[in-house]
Amino acid sequence: MTKLFFFLFAVLSSVFTQAQLSGDVKNLDAALTRLYKTNRFNGTILYAEKGKIVYKKAFGFVDYPTKKPLQTTSAFNLASVTKQFICMSVLILQERRQLQLDDDCKKYLPELPYDNISIRNLMTHVSGIPEYFDVFQRYKSPLDTLTNEKLIQLYALHKPALDFATGTKWQYCNTNYALLVSIIERISKMPMNAFLQKNITTPLGLTDTYMYHVLMPSVPLNHVYGFEELGEKRKLNDLTPFDGVTGDGNIYSSVEDLYKWEQSLTTEKLVKKETFAEAMEPVKLKDGTTYPYGFGWFIDKDRQQQYWHTGGWAGFINLIYRDIKNQRTLVVLSSGSNGLANRSARQFMQGNSIDVPLTTLIKNVRLIDGTGTPARNSSIRIEGKKIIAVGNLTAFAGENVVSGNGKILAPGFIDSHSHLVGSLSKYPEALAALNQGITTIVTGQDGGSDPVDSIKAVLKRNPSAINVATYTGHASIREKVMGANQLNRPASTEELEKMKQLLKDDLQKGSLGLSTGLEYEEGFYSDRNEVIELAKVAAAEKGRYISHIRSEDINMADAIDEIIQIGREAKLPVQISHIKIALKDDWGTGGKLLAALQAARSEGIDITADCYPYDFWNSTLRVLFPKKDFTSLGGATYATEHLFDAGGSVLVRFAPDSNYKGKTIAAIAALRKETAPQTLLYLVSTAADYEIQHPDASGVEAIMGKSMSEDDLISFLSWGHTNICSDGANGGHPRGYGSFTRVLSRYVKEKKIMTWEDAIHKMTALAAEHTGIKNRGIIAAGYNADLVLIDPETVKDNSNIQNPKALSDGILQVWVNGELVYKDKKSLQKYPGEFVSK
């Protein structure tokens, strides 16, 4: 009986009954109760209208090990909500004429290595001073604890450069407020905690408000400990070696005291009304524009007279919200690591419906998490788009529960080289990807791309079931700058500069990097310098480089040397697209090629590859002429003897004569009663004439060319720096529907060249690493919930040349951003896909 009472007190410490609450407040209470019962909120709340407390309540515990219940007088680390108290302290000193807001900080902090930064600049986050976390992390000793004075010494010694010219930009920075505390202490000649007590907490009667940091000798009795939720476990997440510093955080208070504090701001108990009014004005920048931040308060520019501030540090997430026009106040203090309570509270204050994301528990699965570690029995919990817990989890009451029935749960596969994006507007269900477990595709390959803005706009108009990321295509920006008929030469210096700017703009909007298709005519005539200079732009924006290299056959050694040089000189990661050896004479030398790539890696060049699991490719007939001699019978003869198998290579598209579609080059030659080289010349010439006669036509011809050895393919798939790709589209080559399931069926189950864990790593975390995609590719808390449930017994690709759109077996369910989109070989007509920026 005692334990039950104790528990109920901890959950429902409140002075108001449901019957007394308005409908909106009841909804807020219901949302917070639901969050508490699902381990997503541990904290206190107070809401008042017109000077009267309408609702206050405590949910949970002060300290999880002791299970001491929270009360509305429990004091939480306010984190950045502290800043408004610091600003008030400055205003108090200003009214006493002990400082002026436009005083140069060096008047009080002469050690500071910056000129012409005012106290006002610090209060409004426009100083340009860099964040102290990074500086301290760089120079601290293992046992060092930072203090405000040590912080000043650190900046005086190392003189880190400003992030921007003072007053030209708004950038939130905790260093500003740590420096303000030092100014307050030097002027008042007392520690900040003493100044706070004498000038704010005592005059206002705040009994639960004080300053506390790790160097103080004792822990206050009503101090709340910060925690982090780890599934159904909790881990202490409280003060750190940064927390000898005060000003940016480390004032503690309760919801009751914060309400008193907020109410005092309309009085003159601390400063005159006209003095405080300036705190609620947006900061003006040097260019005359403003930013909606005052002195320790954000200003809601869309809602008149609404002001707020959040605070997040370690295991604390807080919110104070003022609606002056309607005389409403809301305070939420949380000692957990989930911010949904704050979001719900803001929705309430802004008059929006309160949205508490449902959770889904996927249990009884064999988890292969993408990292390459061994499979394990586990469960995972999804909240909205994110994974919030992994482990031995118990279902909450009313939670959506999915049983994996012991099957493999893996991260959604990332296709690092895809041509599917062009069909998504017509086929947004993206069955080509989902049927093989792909949840994210990377487009913009082989040098061809649409601008990031265009892709985002298309996805907004026509949402897709899968995520899309993109590279910026070299050929596309070449054509935009040089013109479609001027691509058979290197770019001029002026043209190159224009191309650099186009690339930089696209990278800043979210492109992953630069892609080239140097074997294709649009990129073939560029020189190395052009590509290297563009790659340097990608490197400067922390992007990457991926390339259909300049040759996959007779000049492959030179093409490999080129991509290595690009990596070396531009100093960025470089990736070989769909690595292969297409020259018959060199079949069986995959190991030699990999040795060359490993040598480059040992030099420090981050060179990698992606690979699809087929020994035939899909491209244009013209790639069979390495010297671009499209009318040469000798060139055509060389192609048939050394570059592809005419009897095993199928013409999959030929607009001038659809009767040739689906036939091998040898079969077409027999129909025409001529040799395979003669037929190859005829097909290329006829397609070129057709393009002239039909200038708006696209995809006039395509061939699936048999020109690889499976032994080389196995070498490439096995290399530790190769991830899996499809290079596929919505039909045509069977790789578009079957690449990833083919790897699992043929190369994991049948040939056993890699384990399940290795294969899935190559399809997920390694692909994410090679493309620079964050928060996907691993099953872990905080990652996006892109997931695939696989039956290891039945998984198999079924697409082939005759039926390239046949769906795979064994892909049971697929989730994208937490939403189930594919089940039992069917689209669920859900479209939660997102554009994925670097």
Side-chain angles (χ1 to χ4, degrees):
M1 187 66 172
T2 303
K3 288 184 178 178
L4 177 61
F5 173 80
F6 182 84
F7 173 78
L8 290 175
F9 183 84
V11 178
L12 302 172
S13 176
S14 172
V15 297
F16 298 96
T17 67
Q18 285 287 316
Q20 293 173 304
L21 301 178
S22 68
D24 289 343
V25 180
K26 283 182 181 179
N27 291 338
L28 178 60
D29 177 70
L32 296 178
T33 300
R34 184 173 171 186
L35 289 172
Y36 171 75
K37 289 181 177 179
T38 53
N39 287 359
R40 293 182 284 171
F41 178 51
N42 186 86
T44 58
I45 180 169
L46 184 148
Y47 172 66
E49 294 178 354
K50 295 180 171 58
K52 180 181 178 182
I53 297 174
V54 174
Y55 169 64
K56 66 176 179 177
K57 195 168 182 178
F59 297 80
F61 307 103
V62 170
D63 182 358
Y64 280 106
T66 67
K67 295 294 188 294
K68 179 182 177 182
L70 280 171
Q71 299 179 30
T72 54
T73 55
S74 298
F76 293 69
N77 189 335
L78 297 185
S80 287
V81 177
T82 293
K83 291 179 171 67
Q84 55 199 243
F85 288 90
I86 304 306
C87 285
M88 179 60 78
S89 300
V90 172
L91 294 178
I92 289 169
L93 291 176
Q94 179 195 224
E95 280 205 347
R96 295 174 183 172
R97 302 183 183 277
Q98 292 181 268
L99 60 75
Q100 294 297 318
L101 299 189
D102 293 317
D103 284 348
D104 192 316
C105 293
K106 292 192 79 167
K107 179 178 179 180
Y108 310 103
L109 306 174
E111 313 97 310
L112 205 62
Y114 310 112
D115 295 317
N116 302 316
I117 295 177
S118 70
I119 292 173
R120 185 190 303 273
N121 294 150
L122 298 182
M123 296 167 76
T124 53
H125 294 297
V126 299
S127 70
I129 296 175
E131 188 63 77
Y132 76 81
F133 300 131
D134 304 321
V135 180
F136 180 57
Q137 196 70 29
R138 184 179 184 91
Y139 296 108
K140 74 180 181 71
S141 68
L143 301 178
D144 200 6
T145 298
L146 190 62
T147 65
N148 294 68
E149 285 301 313
K150 282 185 180 179
L151 184 152
I152 294 171
Q153 295 167 19
L154 199 63
Y155 278 67
L157 177 62
H158 299 290
K159 300 177 175 58
L162 293 177
D163 287 343
F164 54 88
T166 302
T168 62
K169 179 180 175 181
W170 186 92
Q171 180 173 289
Y172 196 88
C173 178
N174 291 283
T175 312
N176 294 321
Y177 277 75
L179 295 175
L180 285 172
V181 163
S182 294
I183 291 172
I184 293 165
E185 290 183 334
R186 291 188 183 187
I187 291 174
S188 67
K189 296 182 171 49
M190 64 174 66
M192 186 65 220
N193 58 325
F195 185 93
L196 176 73
Q197 182 179 7
K198 179 179 179 180
N199 295 283
I200 296 178
T201 64
T202 298
L204 297 182
L206 306 183
T207 56
D208 308 317
T209 304
Y210 49 83
M211 187 160 276
Y212 172 69
H213 57 76
V214 292
L215 298 175
M216 289 184 170
S218 60
V219 179
L221 291 177
N222 69 341
H223 164 279
V224 175
Y225 290 88
F227 283 83
E228 177 183 0
E229 282 84 8
L230 300 171
E232 295 179 355
K233 297 180 180 179
R234 285 145 184 99
K235 176 185 176 183
L236 185 67
N237 188 16
D238 205 66
L239 300 183
T240 75
F242 289 97
D243 286 308
V245 170
T246 58
D248 57 332
N250 290 333
I251 286 180
Y252 283 69
S253 190
S254 67
V255 291
E256 298 201 21
D257 267 9
L258 284 177
Y259 174 60
K260 294 177 186 175
W261 155 254
E262 189 276 335
Q263 290 290 288
S264 78
L265 301 179
T266 61
T267 72
E268 295 190 339
K269 291 181 179 179
L270 299 179
V271 294
K272 295 175 182 177
K273 288 183 180 181
E274 57 266 30
T275 300
F276 183 70
E278 196 171 0
M280 297 289 136
E281 292 296 321
V283 58
K284 183 176 286 188
L285 303 178
K286 282 188 174 179
D287 64 2
T289 61
T290 62
Y291 190 87
Y293 192 89
F295 298 164
W297 289 94
F298 285 95
I299 302 164
D300 196 324
K301 59 183 179 181
D302 297 323
R303 295 171 181 81
Q304 266 192 331
Q305 299 183 62
Q306 291 196 16
Y307 308 90
W308 56 274
H309 211 291
T310 55
W313 178 246
F316 296 93
I317 302 177
N318 310 309
L319 171 69
I320 183 168
Y321 205 112
R322 307 181 71 206
D323 177 0
I324 295 176
K325 181 178 181 180
N326 299 298
Q327 298 180 54
R328 301 188 305 149
T329 308
L330 182 134
V331 184
V332 180
L333 301 177
S334 169
S335 56
S337 56
N338 190 305
L340 278 175
N342 274 12
R343 191 182 80 166
S344 297
R346 292 182 69 167
Q347 289 170 337
F348 166 77
M349 289 295 285
Q350 293 168 356
N352 300 324
S353 59
I354 299 174
D355 171 31
V356 176
L358 297 175
T359 60
T360 295
L361 181 69
I362 305 176
K363 67 175 186 176
N364 189 22
V365 296
R366 192 77 177 144
L367 185 67
I368 299 182
D369 65 11
T371 63
T373 54
R376 62 190 186 274
N377 295 327
S378 192
S379 301
I380 77 159
R381 177 165 283 121
I382 303 169
E383 173 192 273
K385 298 178 182 180
K386 299 286 187 179
I387 299 165
I388 60 170
V390 179
N392 183 19
L393 308 175
T394 304
F396 298 133
E399 185 172 35
N400 179 39
V401 178
V402 177
S403 176
N405 297 315
K407 308 304 184 186
I408 291 173
L409 186 72
F413 302 152
I414 297 172
D415 187 352
S416 63
H417 189 122
S418 172
H419 297 280
L420 185 61
V421 73
S423 66
L424 288 182
S425 292
K426 188 174 182 180
Y427 303 107
E429 62 274 10
L431 285 178
L434 295 179
N435 97 98
Q436 53 182 315
I438 296 168
T439 56
T440 300
I441 61 169
V442 181
T443 188
Q445 303 291 354
D446 301 327
S449 70
D450 291 321
V452 166
D453 283 343
S454 297
I455 296 173
K456 288 179 178 178
V458 170
L459 289 174
K460 186 175 182 179
R461 289 195 306 270
N462 302 292
S464 166
I466 57 172
N467 304 308
V468 177
T470 190
Y471 286 93
T472 300
H474 168 232
S476 294
I477 57 177
R478 277 192 115 229
E479 184 173 342
K480 190 167 186 177
V481 170
M482 299 170 65
N485 298 319
Q486 293 292 318
L487 301 179
N488 59 346
R489 60 174 175 82
S492 68
T493 301
E494 182 181 358
E495 289 167 337
L496 181 55
E497 289 305 311
K498 291 180 180 178
M499 289 162 62
K500 285 181 179 181
Q501 189 60 52
L502 287 174
L503 175 59
K504 182 178 180 180
D505 291 346
D506 220 36
L507 288 163
Q508 291 179 344
K509 292 174 181 177
S511 167
L512 300 175
L514 172 68
S515 87
T516 59
L518 299 178
E519 193 171 28
Y520 299 110
E521 291 162 75
E522 296 85 354
F524 181 79
Y525 295 100
S526 64
D527 55 30
R528 284 196 186 187
N529 180 69
E530 177 182 320
V531 181
I532 290 170
E533 289 303 307
L534 288 170
K536 287 179 179 177
V537 174
E541 296 296 328
K542 297 182 170 36
R544 293 162 180 267
Y545 175 79
I546 190 168
S547 180
H548 179 126
I549 56 177
R550 213 174 282 268
S551 173
E552 296 175 328
D553 40 64
I554 62 173
N555 294 313
M556 189 167 185
D558 188 61
I560 293 296
D561 179 74
E562 179 179 31
I563 193 170
I564 290 172
Q565 183 182 1
I566 291 166
R568 179 186 296 119
E569 292 196 22
K571 295 180 174 57
L572 84 172
V574 295
Q575 180 154 33
I576 301 170
S577 289
H578 43 59
I579 188 170
K580 65 175 71 74
I581 296 174
L583 184 65
K584 291 181 182 179
D585 310 59
D586 289 342
W587 285 2
T589 63
K592 180 180 177 182
L593 172 57
L594 294 177
L597 301 184
Q598 281 296 148
R601 290 187 63 82
S602 67
E603 184 187 329
I605 299 166
D606 185 2
I607 187 166
T608 60
D610 60 21
C611 185
Y612 55 78
Y614 298 87
D615 59 6
F616 56 98
W617 42 257
N618 188 92
S619 191
T620 72
L621 291 160
R622 296 167 78 91
V623 300
L624 293 167
F625 292 81
K627 296 181 180 180
K628 310 305 178 191
D629 49 348
F630 304 117
T631 61
S632 166
L633 182 60
T637 301
Y638 186 87
T640 57
E641 292 178 354
H642 297 276
L643 302 183
F644 81 118
D645 177 4
S649 299
V650 177
L651 198 63
V652 294
R653 188 166 58 249
F654 194 68
D657 189 342
S658 60
N659 291 320
Y660 290 161
K661 178 182 176 181
K663 292 182 172 61
T664 67
I665 303 301
I668 297 169
L671 286 174
R672 293 177 55 79
K673 297 183 170 50
E674 60 189 11
T675 66
Q678 290 171 326
T679 293
L680 184 58
L681 288 179
Y682 164 78
L683 294 172
V684 170
S685 174
T686 303
D689 291 341
Y690 185 91
E691 288 179 346
I692 293 172
Q693 296 164 13
H694 303 82
D696 295 330
S698 62
V700 171
E701 52 86 1
I703 179 177
M704 277 190 276
K706 177 71 171 68
S707 66
M708 289 175 270
S709 153
E710 189 174 35
D711 287 343
D712 288 332
L713 176 60
I714 288 173
S715 295
F716 297 145
L717 289 172
S718 302
W719 189 41
H721 303 288
T722 301
N723 68 267
I724 309 301
C725 73
S726 76
D727 193 15
N730 190 39
H733 195 298
R735 67 194 179 189
Y737 274 71
S739 291
F740 286 72
T741 42
R742 180 173 174 81
V743 169
L744 297 177
S745 177
R746 182 168 179 80
Y747 295 106
V748 175
K749 292 169 60 178
E750 182 183 334
K751 291 192 170 288
K752 300 186 186 335
I753 70 165
M754 64 182 88
T755 65
W756 282 96
E757 291 86 349
D758 288 340
I760 288 172
H761 173 64
K762 287 173 173 287
M763 298 172 175
T764 57
L766 191 64
E769 177 186 330
H770 287 175
T771 54
I773 289 174
K774 308 292 187 198
N775 297 321
R776 299 179 197 270
I778 293 175
I779 294 178
Y783 278 69
N784 282 65
D786 295 342
L787 306 163
V788 55
L789 187 67
I790 307 165
D791 184 343
E793 299 299 322
T794 63
V795 67
K796 182 179 182 297
D797 61 304
N798 293 315
S799 59
N800 52 43
I801 294 175
Q802 293 72 35
N803 188 7
K805 293 188 178 183
L807 300 180
S808 301
D809 294 328
I811 299 298
L812 304 178
Q813 298 185 52
V814 181
W815 292 261
V816 174
N817 295 313
E819 191 160 355
L820 187 64
V821 295
Y822 180 84
K823 184 178 181 181
D824 299 332
K825 291 191 174 183
K826 293 180 181 177
S827 166
L828 299 184
Q829 306 300 308
K830 303 290 186 182
Y831 307 107
E834 299 178 341
F835 180 80
V836 178
S837 297
K838 71 174 170 60

